[in-house]
Amino acid sequence: MKLEIQRPPAERRHAAELARLRDHDHDPRPPGWALSLRAARRFIIGDEQSGIRRKFVGDPSLVDRALVALATNRGLLLLGRPGTAKSLLSELIAAAISGDSTLTVQGGAATTEDQIKYSWNYAMLVAEGPSPRSLVPAPMLRGMREGRIVRFEELTRCPLEVQDCLLSLLSERVLAIPELTGEHGMAFAEQGFNVVATANTDDRGVNEMSTALKRRFTFETVFPIADFATELELVRAESAELLSQSGVGTPPDRDVLEVLVTTFRELREGTTADGRSMERLSAALSTAEAVSVAHAVGVRGWYLRGAPGTPADLVECLAGTAVKDSEHDLARLRRYLEQQVPRKHGACWRALHEARDRLPG
């Protein structure tokens, strides 16, 4: 039985496009880059004439600024609310520049310098002492040696002293290995090395970055998708791909998706489509979360009834999305279904209102 990877990295998912771009890329490339800036831009935001699909739905000028910052050997920090595709953008950038997006550090309260820079094979360390053979490179050391982009997810979730281990890497482009002597005691970054970090603006106060570290990054904010039609199309395309991977034989119902995206936008912004004020949910109802709910709705309908997902399935799946940050969000969601949904027109909205009793509690 052949096993399939659940989510291949960007360089594998889009290998044909990357190869085509490399073959036809005659523009100057920054040292160590696999693609020129213009080719990397086309890979990320798409190019219909070249048959390159758009992968990041956002401001193209943001992509331009990010690529230019990396070409000047400054680190890049992508800020934004949860679910605004910061991680996706960092993955696409790494795949375009280095052809490899897998050198990744996942930040968190338990992240240590060993997981960022290097550690040791302790059996060999005891047997023969510190040596290059007993050194186990972590993503940052590998990225410096190989001249590749390193992704640092959720940088501000790391303790301040762990964050600051990046200072010399980003300024002098050197990593000291004090346990080793001679030429092995210093690792110098090859051309192409850089760091693309992400940080959640909702959690920026968890571990605020030092001023010294901030100076070594170019900050770019990734905003939620403003246009309804663009967000709807993105949710449709991404959920259809996920449903296909899950073995679901029917595409998502467009009417249900319209209700889902509208509901998310109204609960996220605290304003209805016709301008009435309403209660917001404290949960981060992002586009990525909408894709996840659309996926769950489709799976629920297909595997429980052999049919596309319905508004009733949507109510069931919304409950798990809404109640994360506050116990009051479930009551706010219930009031939305009882008070705001009846004012909307269409069979799908009526079915959503009728299914409100499916909410728990």
Side-chain angles (χ1 to χ4, degrees), residues 112-126:
T112 63
E113 287 192 36
D114 291 356
Q115 297 168 324
I116 298 172
K117 299 191 297 187
Y118 62 88
S119 59
W120 299 94
N121 180 323
Y122 289 103
M124 294 183 65
L125 187 66
V126 170

Side-chain angles (χ1 to χ4, degrees), residues 5 41-42 44 158 186 208 265 301 360:
I5 298 175
R41 183 183 192 272
R42 290 198 296 273
I44 295 169
C158 296
M186 301 287 279
E208 186 63 37
R265 291 173 72 90

Side-chain angles (χ1 to χ4, degrees), residues 52-75:
I52 305 299
R53 185 172 69 87
R54 186 178 187 181
K55 303 166 191 67
F56 174 70
V57 180
D59 184 2
S61 64
L62 165 65
V63 177
D64 293 343
R65 294 193 302 271
L67 293 173
V68 168
L70 292 169
T72 62
N73 284 337
R74 282 184 62 82

Side-chain angles (χ1 to χ4, degrees), residues 92-134:
L92 294 172
I93 288 173
I97 293 176
S98 301
D100 181 5
S101 64
T102 60
L103 292 180
T104 305
V105 177
Q106 179 59 57
T111 302
T112 63
E113 287 192 36
D114 291 356
Q115 297 168 324
I116 298 172
K117 299 191 297 187
Y118 62 88
S119 59
W120 299 94
N121 180 323
Y122 289 103
M124 294 183 65
L125 187 66
V126 170
E128 57 187 53
S131 68
R133 289 197 333 128
S134 58

Side-chain angles (χ1 to χ4, degrees), residues 253-294:
D253 184 276
R254 188 171 183 86
D255 290 339
V256 173
L257 290 184
E258 286 188 7
V259 168
L260 167 61
V261 173
T262 300
T263 298
F264 263 54
R265 291 173 72 90
E266 293 185 345
L267 289 171
R268 181 172 66 217
E269 298 167 7
T271 307
T272 63
D274 55 4
R276 292 191 306 273
S277 296
M278 52 170 280
E279 292 179 293
R280 295 179 51 180
L281 262 65
S282 59
L285 298 178
S286 63
T287 304
E289 196 77 43
V291 172
S292 178
V293 171

